[in-house]
Amino acid sequence: QKEVEQNSGPLSVPEGAIASLNCTYSDRGSQSFFWYRQYSGKSPELIMFIYSNGDKEDGRFTAQLNKASQYVSLLIRDSQPSDSATYLCAVNKKPFGGGSNYKLTFGKGTLLTVNP
Amino acid sequence: KAGVTQTPRYLIKTRGQQVTLSCSPISGHRSVSWYQQTPGQGLQFLFEYFSETQRNKGNFPGRFSGRQFSNSRSEMNVSTLELGDSALYLCASSLNSGNQPQHFGDGTRLSIL
């Protein structure tokens, strides 16, 4: 089982719709969860992070975390063509035995296309 | 506030050579992590440095090494380059080691001929 799994897509939505991006992770010890957006030829850009179960909203973006189901999602409301990019889910796992050397593991990303 | 700065942006090398990549973190950030990104494998963790110490290491051969200086700037070195080392190398900085969000630089595109 992969540590962090995402549907590779492409996920295609019309402009103005809600885009829903999903991510599952295998390690129950995971403590923090991040969503990055990566445009073609560019580096990843942090757009959301969440540490606790529930929802976290920032503008058009909502991150949802369910630790019991080991599931994290990103909702993009009122999707725009400029949202077309690959969205990377990343999970931070606390090292076994304590310490501070967390390891950030990325999924392979979901390609989102927003059609005008 | 300036972001993470990586140099050079592009590099072309031949097999067997070595290369050094540089990363200057966001001002005040003390943790620097390095990643390799390829189309097939995605983003893979190389190592993390904090206070000039390597805190964590991914599953890469010993040809990949790094270091961090007292001003938090970091360098990554790859020796005896192989064709498979062609990739985008990304540096990310965070305030402290641990659970903090990481912010990426623009990366160094390394091509091996």
Side-chain angles (χ1 to χ4, degrees):
Chain A
Q1 183 183 7
K2 293 179 184 175
E3 291 188 73
V4 180
E5 287 206 66
Q6 297 181 254
N7 188 325
S8 62
L11 172 65
S12 185
V13 300
E15 184 175 355
I18 296 175
S20 178
L21 302 156
N22 305 315
C23 173
T24 58
Y25 58 95
S26 61
D27 194 324
R28 287 194 175 274
S30 300
Q31 298 212 324
S32 51
F33 307 85
F34 305 86
W35 283 99
Y36 288 85
R37 175 176 64 198
Q38 187 171 25
Y39 292 113
S40 180
K42 301 292 186 183
S43 64
E45 173 193 7
L46 178 70
I47 53 173
M48 288 288 287
F49 58 92
I50 186 166
Y51 297 130
S52 305
N53 274 330
D55 294 1
K56 179 181 178 183
E57 188 175 316
D58 184 1
R60 296 186 296 114
F61 299 99
T62 300
Q64 299 175 316
L65 175 61
N66 184 326
K67 288 187 177 180
S69 300
Q70 294 174 243
Y71 175 92
V72 58
S73 65
L74 178 70
L75 301 178
I76 306 175
R77 289 181 299 281
D78 188 24
S79 296
Q80 301 296 310
S82 59
D83 294 326
S84 297
T86 296
Y87 288 81
L88 299 166
C89 170
V91 174
N92 218 350
K93 183 176 73 174
K94 190 172 184 179
F96 178 77
S100 59
N101 51 329
Y102 289 71
K103 178 185 171 185
L104 192 62
T105 302
F106 284 81
K108 291 200 173 180
T110 298
L111 177 61
L112 171 67
T113 301
V114 180
N115 302 304
Chain B
K1 199 175 190 182
V4 178
T5 304
Q6 289 188 248
T7 57
R9 289 294 311 280
Y10 304 92
L11 210 46
I12 299 175
K13 292 285 187 180
T14 57
R15 280 181 298 173
Q17 287 187 309
Q18 75 164 16
V19 67
T20 299
L21 311 182
S22 180
C23 173
S24 292
I26 292 171
S27 178
H29 284 197
R30 298 168 63 196
S31 171
V32 173
S33 297
W34 289 90
Y35 297 86
Q36 181 195 66
Q37 188 174 35
T38 58
Q41 298 299 317
L43 258 167
Q44 293 188 285
F45 173 75
L46 281 155
F47 28 65
E48 184 212 358
Y49 286 88
F50 177 77
S51 291
E52 302 177 66
T53 302
Q54 186 180 90
R55 283 295 187 97
N56 207 348
K57 191 176 189 305
N59 298 322
F60 279 81
R63 301 186 295 108
F64 292 82
S65 63
R67 59 178 175 168
Q68 187 181 34
F69 302 95
S70 58
N71 62 357
S72 296
R73 190 178 71 83
S74 177
E75 287 182 348
M76 189 190 99
N77 185 274
V78 188
S79 63
T80 320
L81 287 164
E82 300 176 0
L83 291 177
D85 296 334
S86 294
L88 178 65
Y89 289 88
L90 291 158
C91 165
S93 75
S94 60
L95 205 56
N96 292 301
S97 183
N99 233 3
Q100 305 285 327
Q102 296 183 14
H103 300 270
F104 284 87
D106 289 336
T108 294
R109 175 77 60 185
L110 175 63
S111 299
I112 311 301
L113 304 179

